[in-house]
Every structure is written in structure tokens, then in C-alpha cells.
Amino acid sequence: MGHSVHSTDDMDNGSMPPSRRHANGEPNVQKVAVPPKQNLLKAIKSTTKEFFFSDEPLRPFKNQTIARKFVIGLQTLFPILEWGREYTISKFKNDFVAGVTIASLSIPQDIGYSKLANLEPHYGLYTSFVPPLVYACMGTSRDIAIGAVSVISLLLGTQCSAEADPIKNPIEYHNLVFTATFFAGLVQFLFGFFRLGFLVDFLSHAALVGFMGGAAIVISAQQLALILGIRGFTKKNDIVSVMQSVFGSMHHGWNWQSAAIGTPFLAFLFLATYLGTKNRKFFWLSAIAPSFCVVTSTVIVYLTRVDKDDVQIVNYIRKGINPVTFQDIYFSGKYLAAGMRIGAVVGMIALSEAIAIGPTFAGMKNYKLDSNKEMLAMGSMNMVGSMTSCYVSTGSFSRSAVNNMSGCKTPVSNIVMSGVVLLTLLVITPLFKYTPKAILGAVVISAVLTLLDYKEMIRIYKVDKFDFVACMGAFLGVVFTTIEMGLLIAIIISVLKILLQITRPRTALLGKIPRTTIYRSVEEYPDAYKVPGVLIVRVDSAIYFPNSNYVKERILRWLVDEEEHLTAKGLPQIKHLIVDMSSVTDIDTTGINELELLFRTLQSQDIQLILTNPGAAVIDKLHSSEIENVIGPSNIYLTVTEAVKSCNPNTTIDEA
């Protein structure tokens, strides 16, 4: 194949050096090259490698001895063995400060989040003890702080309570939670092992922002029951039911002592968060504020004994380290399917949250984050956690931010945090007896409202309206229906967006920008003018079976509209239709068939089809299908400029 074509791009305006021109002044030309044929097995191997192993994970193992390969394998699975060799006392000082700081934030949060999961307070502490140790050995992020988080706690609690009543059947409920946690970890581990992290991307950033924001609203509204001391609160999660329960109990169910304790401390927590956000120097204030509030409120309740006036208190937190729960996981029976289903959903959301956090801090500190190792680490810590009385854990937005601002250097900060939690479990838990539940509600509200990122919602609206629809779909779905429905709505809208973009790709009508040989969209550049007798259309997508018929019909509609316009003005009709394929990355057999149908349709109207700038994959398939012989090898060019010149041989390159 190979019509002689212009060897330069469309930017050439006649200023080409003499060395690149023939003696007669015409530019040097090249033929459209057909890439060398690749056998089927090699093509499959190349595609598979690029799809699953684009980061070449096996490269470090090349040309190494067996012993060295074993060491590299251990370092790959446990990165701590690699960076631990360079660990220093100065780094530990930073990690120690960061670990103690995030522990002071996580302990009160963990106790509050346990309530969202319908579990006793000590389970939240368990979840911030074992999983962080596993992650510190296997994770690659220096900044992520591992533990229980609000959204995952609520999602796990609502889904598990739909299968087993946490009050009537507490043993079955607890075992179902451990089962779901195990399968959440298994899903995460398999995603990393088979390098399937791209599946998590189907939950778009916009959908995740809406989902988190909606969950923040629902969780905050639920905590009003603790702050106001309401008993017999609704089990539903939608905002309408929650607010009906709040105001329905106004005259008989509110406890003013609880409100008097919770409200001032909530205001203090908001102030501390505001100061920590506005001034980096005060980040420590927002970090220690929850622990300060818990300690102070506990002392107040103990001294005043307002618990006798029906102020709800924690009353009891089990002392001691995590019991082994491997034997409690359902590997058979009626709860197995539910555990697998819940685990898969919760595991993917937890993974999405962690993946959204890690790269942000990695970019700030300029280090590499391995997403597949992150998934292996997350999966391992949750599987181990399920066997040691933990529920699903992941990276926390608020704690990771505090960890970063505290100056952490390595994942050792998670080990320090875990040590502080261990000390709490062994020694301090009895001191939480008089902690008012109102203060836990205040701590949870102050933590989760940071997930309501209204600024990001505004930015999404400005950038992409369809993304904003997905964001609001998730937000409203969570707020007015259920967590699961909001998530489902977000995924459906995100998938619909993908399908719409695939099936209805963009096309543009091109015109020539004056005094140049550049051709651009006439909508973007109003000064660009159309070449008489020539219609130039650019397709901005790969041409596959879902969109090939649309592309053909859209090009023909461009043609009909243009001919009607020319007829109305008494101008010459279109004789050449140029399809700019510079943005067409690939084409399949259906697309080739539709291209041939387009050629036949234009031929019946005495219009010549011309193709320009097809990429390597496209030109290879055009050549293999022999459609180039149908269209004519002389009607395939490298540039629009040369194609336009071919429509009027008397036109020079600079005039085209």
C-alpha cells in the first residue's frame, strides 16, 4: 500500500529546510508504512504482558542466582526487609511521634466506629492492633494509617445485620462479621495476586466522592441518637427515617444531660479540626482533641455521676489482646454465601478508599507506591485480622493525613500505633467505663464530616457534568435509600458513562486555520474555513462493533448537512470526503465492514473517500483485510494537508 505522502506534520507551512525538499521545490515524501506482521502467539503474549505486567515485576529476578531470587522474592512480598536495612534512629523518632499521635486519634474513633458495625467497643481496638502490624511488613505506603474506618464499619454493619440480628443472635452475627472480613481480605489478596486492580477503577473518583459524602451525612445523623441520649433509635439508615426518629422522640426521649456533655465537646472538636486544617502548625490540636475530649468527659461523668440520670456510658470494654477466631469463620453452612457476598462488596470499597489515599501522599513525598503490593498487604491483613477478632480495616483519610503531618518516615508509625493500642487493651480499657456515649458520637461526627468534600463536588461539576451526575447519584442514593443502593447507583451511572463514551464517540468537522496548513475543529476555531468541494471529518475514538455503525451514520449526517448548506447557497457540492484517523487507535472487523459500507455509499454519490494518518494497528488491519484495495492505496495519506492537495492537484502544499 502506499501512496506517496507528505513526510512532515500539518504544522509545515512552507518553511521546510531545503535539505528536506526536492530540487523542484516539492517536499520529500514517504509511503504509508505497514508494520511487520506479528504471529498470533507473540501478539497474545505481548498484549497479556502489557495488560497484566506493564510494570515488569519479574525484571529484578533476571540473571540472578537461586539464592538471590529467594531473597528478592521475600523482599517483594515483605518490603520491610528491603527498606528496614536502611532504617535509622532519627527515622524512628519521627515514626514514634507520628505513631503516638495517630493512636491518640484512632482509639476514641475505633470505639465509636465499633458501634457503627454493631459490635462491642473492644472490636474497634482489636482492628487497630493486628492489621497495622501486618501492613507495616507488607505495605509500600509510608503514610497510610491502618485501622477501622467509618464508612466500612457502617457498610459492614448494615449488610451483616440484614442476615443475622446482632442483638438476638450475637454469636452468629459476630461469626458472620469475621467471615465477611476473611473473604474481603481474600478478594483483596486475589486482586493483587492476579493484578486485577483495574477492576476497582470501575468505581470512579466522582462516584467515590459522592458515596463518601452521603455516608458522612448518614453517619453523622445517626450519632445524634448518642449525643441526645435517645434510646430505641431506628435501625434504618436513610436520612428521612433517622431524622423522623430524632424529632419523633423530642418530647419524651431526649436526655438534656447527654446533650449538655456532647454539644460543647462537638463544638470544640470542630474548632480543633478547623484550626488544624487552616494552619499546619496546629495539626496536633486536631489529632489529640478526640482523646482530650474522651478523658475530660469521662472525668466529668465520674465526678458528677450523671450516668445515674440516664446518661449512656460505655460501661465495659473487654481487657486483653485479641482472641483467636479462626474457628468462628463460616467455611460452610447457610451464612457462607452471605459472608462471601458481603466480603466482596466491602473488600472492594475498602480497597478503593485505600487506593484513593495512598497515591496522594506518595506524590507529595515523591516515592513509588506499588498498587499490587498494596492489595496483597490489604488482603493479608484482613485475612489475618478475621482470625484474630478484627473486622474489615483499611487506610483512614483523617489518620493518614495526621500521620503525614506528624512527620512519619516509614510504616513503622503503624507499629507504634499498634503498640499504643495494645497498651490500651492491656491496661487502660477499664478507665473507659464512665466514658459517655455522647462524646463518642461527637468524635465520630467530627471525623466523618471531613469525608463530605463539597469543594471536590463543585470541581467535579465544573469539569464533567456526567461525572457530577454519578457523584450526586451516589450521594443521594446513600442519603435517601441505603448505603448499598447508593453504591449500586454510582456503579450503574459510571458504567453507563463508559458505554455512552464507547458507543457514541466524538467526531468533529475540520476546517483550515488561515495562513497555516493546520486543520482543526470548526466549532473550536470559528476562523477555520472549509475547503471547497472537500468535507473533512475527524473521528476521536477507536472504531469497534459497539460504535462503528454510529460513526458511519454520523459521518453521513455531516455530509448531508453540509450538502444542504451548500445547495442553499448555490455552491459546488462535495466531491471528496476525508476521514482523519489520527485519533483512531484501533479498529475491528465490524469497523472495517462499516468503513467499506461508507465507501460504497459515497461511491454511489460520486464522492471519493480518503483516509489520513491511520495508526500502526489500524493500517495493519486495513492491509490484512484488503480493504485498502477497495478504497484504493492512492487514497490513504499521512496528513490532511497532503490529502487536500490530492483533491486539487494544482494546489501547493502551502495553499492546501
Side-chain angles (χ1 to χ4, degrees), residues 548-565:
S548 56
N549 182 64
Y550 170 81
V551 170
K552 181 196 70 176
E553 295 298 329
R554 187 68 187 92
I555 291 173
L556 291 175
R557 274 188 285 135
W558 280 120
L559 179 63
V560 170
D561 292 344
E562 187 65 15
E563 286 185 330
E564 289 178 353
H565 174 73

Side-chain angles (χ1 to χ4, degrees), residues 588-601:
D588 65 1
T589 52
T590 306
I592 290 173
N593 289 338
E594 293 296 335
L595 199 60
E596 185 173 357
L597 288 175
L598 175 64
F599 171 78
R600 302 293 183 194
T601 302

